């Protein structure tokens, strides 16, 4: 394959950031091949919406992707092969984590719920496990953590609190948290257990990283008072290491014991959205809202890689077990795997392709409004699976909440709405919270009457069943 690619590149004479290349489609993955180099990147699609989080099992064998399309997908990490799809959330899934012993997977979402999946009896050829539903928060769940001994699970929520559950209690049918930690001024964005599971670290929008004693749920001290919100956090007590990223764009690695900063980079006012560490614990990688990736070598405290990996936010980044492999999640439906040692950083400095919901091509106003306002959640084709919302194919004249195969909210199922020009106009003028209170549809209004009219005219044609 490489010989063929090399010949084609020579014939075509095409260049991308100084490298001769050709696009090849292999088994559903889009692969960019570089002459005389290994493949630079591959893309894997299993979702119908932006991927919000990626997490690896402790042994590096499995990966989970969490998506805006209300699902999580379990992958064979070495082969990047989809094993099963985990459905059950009623809104976007923001985070997922494996227990250290590999038995459990927890996922948390915008539906304020945590789903606990028992993987003990799971086989790749069998059905997806049935989750235990845990609901103890009044805001979205944005981060989860298991203790190193796999006995406890912690959650960070935008309701301003963190909670801790005993897994033995959950196994016994009791899902009430053993600890509820309150004190942050605003959303809690990240949590991490101490090595002995007796304490918890929490990071918040208020700029604090707090240290709590779990025996009596008491707040002991602020490990960090930054002044800007702390979005992500990584704690390693054994290595005396704390890494965190902030809303003002700072990527900081410091000593946990005394707070001394070892590395501080990235002051671009682009919020830092992701942080992780390599399996061998030798590298830390950050991703920010502008698509920038920065890889830091812990031993030498040097910046190894600094490049643009997406034209949009890096929601999650993971360094894989194989040296040089990295996977990223952004606004796209796909996961991208990079060979970060095999291409120059400028490979994505030029703008990438237009996303369906951020179009750059010339199109009519109605189609543009659909692309911007609707296409993240909805398709126009008959088989519109794996999106957060149902397909709009055959929309006009259909009673709300009746499309087979989609898990509607009770609000839509019990409504008397029939979709036509008037009801769609009202949906976007008054808002879903007024027209269908209790619906899963995001609150979205279109103030401009012409935009609404153009969208409806477009939908009348584009959704027509053939």
């Amino acid at each position: 394959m490489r010989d063929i690619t090399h010949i084609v590149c020579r014939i075509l004479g095409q260049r991308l950031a100084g490298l001769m290349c050709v696009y090849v489609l292999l088994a559903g993955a889009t692969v960019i091949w570089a002459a005389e180099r290994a493949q630079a990147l591959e893309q894997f699609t299993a979702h119908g919406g932006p991927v919000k989080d990626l997490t690896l099992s402790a042994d590096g064998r499995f990966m989970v992707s969490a998506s805006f399309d209300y699902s999580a997908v379990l992958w064979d990490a070495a082969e990047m092969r989809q094993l099963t799809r985990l459905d059950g959330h009623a809104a976007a899934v923001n985070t997922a984590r494996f227990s250290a012993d590999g038995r459990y997977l927890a996922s948390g979402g915008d539906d304020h719920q945590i789903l606990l999946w028992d993987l003990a009896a799971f086989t790749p050829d069998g059905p997806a496990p049935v989750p235990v539903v845990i609901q103890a928060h009044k805001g979205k769940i944005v981060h989860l953590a298991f203790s190193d001994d796999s006995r406890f699970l912690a959650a960070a929520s935008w309701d301003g609190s963190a909670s801790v559950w005993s897994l033995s209690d959950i196994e016994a049918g009791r899902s009430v948290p053993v600890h509820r930690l309150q004190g942050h001024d605003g959303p809690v964005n990240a949590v991490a257990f101490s090595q002995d599971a007796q304490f918890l670290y929490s990071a918040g929008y208020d700029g604090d990283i707090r240290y709590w004693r779990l025996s009596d749920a008491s707040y002991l001290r602020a490990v960090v008072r930054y002044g800007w919100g702390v979005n992500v956090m990584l704690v390693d007590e054994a290595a005396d290491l704390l890494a965190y990223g902030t809303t003002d764009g700072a990527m900081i690695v410091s000593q946990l014991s005394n707070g001394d900063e070892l590395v501080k980079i990235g002051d671009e006012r682009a919020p830092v959205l992701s942080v992780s560490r390599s399996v061998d614990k030798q590298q830390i990688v950050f991703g920010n809202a502008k698509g920038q990736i920065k890889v830091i070598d812990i031993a030498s405290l040097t910046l190894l890689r600094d490049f643009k990996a997406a034209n949009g936010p890096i929601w999650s980044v993971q360094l894989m077990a194989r040296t040089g492999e990295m996977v990223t999640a952004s606004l796209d439906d796909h996961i991208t795997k990079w060979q970060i040692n095999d291409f120059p950083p400028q490979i994505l400095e030029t703008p990438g392709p237009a996303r369906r919901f951020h179009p750059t091509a010339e199109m009519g106003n109605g189609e543009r409004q659909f692309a911007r306002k609707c296409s993240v959640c909805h398709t126009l084709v008959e088989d519109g699976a794996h999106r957060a919302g149902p397909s709009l194919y055959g929309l006009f004249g259909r009673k709300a909440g009746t499309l087979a195969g989609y898990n509607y909210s009770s609000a839509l199922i019990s409504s008397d709405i029939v979709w036509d020009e008037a009801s769609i106009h009202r949906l976007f003028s008054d808002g879903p919270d007024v027209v269908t209170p209790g619906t899963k549809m995001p609150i979205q209004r279109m103030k401009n009457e012409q935009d609404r009219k153009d969208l409806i005219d477009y939908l009348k044609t584009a959704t027509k069943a053939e």
Side-chain angles (χ1 to χ4, degrees):
M1 174 63 76
R2 291 187 60 179
D3 292 339
I4 295 173
T5 303
H6 192 68
I7 292 170
V8 173
C9 285
R10 285 183 173 178
I11 293 173
L12 294 178
Q14 295 176 339
R15 291 180 176 269
L16 175 61
L19 290 177
M20 304 176 74
C21 65
V22 65
Y23 289 89
V24 183
L25 296 178
L26 292 176
T30 303
V31 184
I32 295 179
W33 289 80
E36 299 180 357
R37 292 179 181 269
Q39 58 205 40
L41 63 88
E42 300 171 84
Q43 294 172 344
F44 302 88
T45 303
H47 290 288
V51 179
K52 300 298 294 295
D53 195 20
L54 300 167
T55 187
L56 291 168
S57 59
D59 58 11
R61 293 175 56 206
F62 301 105
M63 185 179 76
V64 163
S65 53
S67 173
F68 185 86
D69 71 357
Y70 300 9
S71 78
V73 168
L74 181 65
W75 301 77
D76 179 309
E79 299 179 8
M80 286 301 293
R81 175 170 54 89
Q82 180 181 342
L83 298 177
T84 192
R85 181 181 174 88
L86 304 173
D87 291 303
H89 282 281
V93 186
N94 299 316
T95 181
R97 288 295 180 272
F98 289 97
S99 60
D101 60 10
R103 175 173 178 178
Y104 288 110
L105 172 72
S107 58
D110 278 5
D111 55 2
H112 309 176
Q113 294 187 146
I114 299 166
L115 301 186
L116 186 66
W117 312 83
D118 189 344
L119 302 180
F122 170 73
T123 59
D125 298 326
V130 177
V132 174
V133 179
I134 304 170
Q135 190 158 11
H137 283 279
K138 296 180 180 179
K140 64 173 66 179
I141 309 297
V142 293
H143 192 248
L144 296 166
F146 283 95
S147 60
D148 288 349
D149 58 12
S150 300
R151 294 176 55 213
F152 299 99
L153 170 67
S157 172
W158 276 19
D159 67 3
S161 70
S163 293
V164 177
W165 288 265
S166 163
L167 290 182
S168 61
D169 283 353
I170 296 173
E171 290 166 352
R174 300 185 298 271
S175 59
V176 177
V178 292
H179 304 294
R180 175 64 64 84
L181 308 177
Q182 295 178 303
H184 279 283
D185 183 13
V188 181
N189 293 324
V191 286
F193 283 97
S194 63
Q195 196 170 9
D196 60 8
Q198 300 299 308
F199 303 88
L200 191 81
Y201 300 86
S202 63
Y205 183 77
D206 56 5
D208 286 359
I209 295 179
R210 299 189 171 207
Y211 187 58
W212 307 81
R213 184 171 56 222
L214 293 180
S215 60
D216 56 3
S218 61
Y219 166 56
L220 300 181
R221 68 178 187 275
V223 178
V224 168
R225 289 189 182 277
Y226 185 71
W228 291 82
V230 178
N231 288 333
V232 292
M233 170 182 66
L234 188 154
V235 176
D236 185 340
E237 290 184 335
D240 192 24
L241 194 72
L242 171 66
Y244 59 99
T246 70
T247 57
D248 73 330
M251 304 172 184
I252 299 170
V253 181
S254 65
Q255 286 187 269
L256 181 62
S257 57
N258 57 24
D260 288 351
E261 291 183 358
L262 305 175
V263 177
K264 183 178 181 181
I265 55 177
D267 294 312
E268 302 115 337
R269 293 294 187 266
V272 182
L273 303 177
S274 52
V275 64
S276 68
R277 187 168 48 172
S278 58
V279 175
D280 62 9
K281 299 186 177 183
Q282 296 305 302
Q283 297 174 356
I284 289 176
V285 56
F286 290 96
N288 73 11
K290 291 184 177 178
Q292 205 72 19
I293 292 284
K294 297 180 188 292
V295 183
I296 298 169
D297 180 77
I298 297 174
S300 63
L301 297 176
T302 56
L303 185 62
L304 299 178
R305 274 284 188 261
D306 182 357
F307 67 97
K308 191 171 185 180
N311 291 304
I314 300 292
W315 296 119
S316 186
V317 56
Q318 290 286 335
L319 292 168
M320 307 294 275
R322 296 180 183 177
T323 302
E325 288 189 349
M326 179 181 71
V327 289
T328 58
S330 187
L331 282 177
D332 303 292
D333 299 348
H334 56 256
I335 299 162
T336 302
K337 185 172 77 170
W338 303 81
Q339 299 288 346
I340 60 174
N341 297 328
D342 288 336
F343 65 91
Q346 67 267 26
I347 193 168
L348 272 185
E349 285 301 324
T350 55
R355 296 184 178 88
R356 63 175 185 275
F357 47 90
H358 190 196
T360 58
E362 290 297 322
M363 60 178 61
N365 186 46
E367 184 178 2
R368 184 178 297 106
Q369 295 305 319
F370 173 80
R372 291 175 175 174
K373 304 293 198 311
C374 313
S375 65
V376 173
C377 297
H378 301 281
T379 71
L380 300 171
V381 297
E382 187 171 7
D383 180 13
H386 297 174
R387 289 283 173 87
S391 170
L392 302 185
Y393 182 84
L395 176 67
F396 282 77
R398 188 168 76 206
K399 185 180 182 298
T402 60
L403 184 66
Y406 182 76
N407 183 24
Y408 286 97
S409 65
S410 57
L412 270 185
I413 293 173
S414 61
S415 76
D416 296 324
I417 294 173
V418 175
W419 295 119
D420 57 19
E421 289 188 41
S423 58
I424 296 173
H425 179 89
R426 183 167 177 252
L427 180 71
F428 285 106
S429 60
D430 296 347
D433 54 323
V434 174
V435 177
T436 55
T439 182
K440 295 188 291 185
M441 185 175 177
I443 297 174
Q444 186 169 232
R445 294 177 176 85
M446 296 175 66
K447 296 181 179 180
N448 186 291
E449 184 175 0
Q450 187 62 49
D451 286 346
R452 293 196 301 271
K453 183 180 183 301
D454 290 345
L455 173 61
I456 292 168
D457 288 344
Y458 171 73
L459 289 176
K460 280 196 294 186
T461 301
T463 65
K464 187 177 295 184
E466 297 179 357

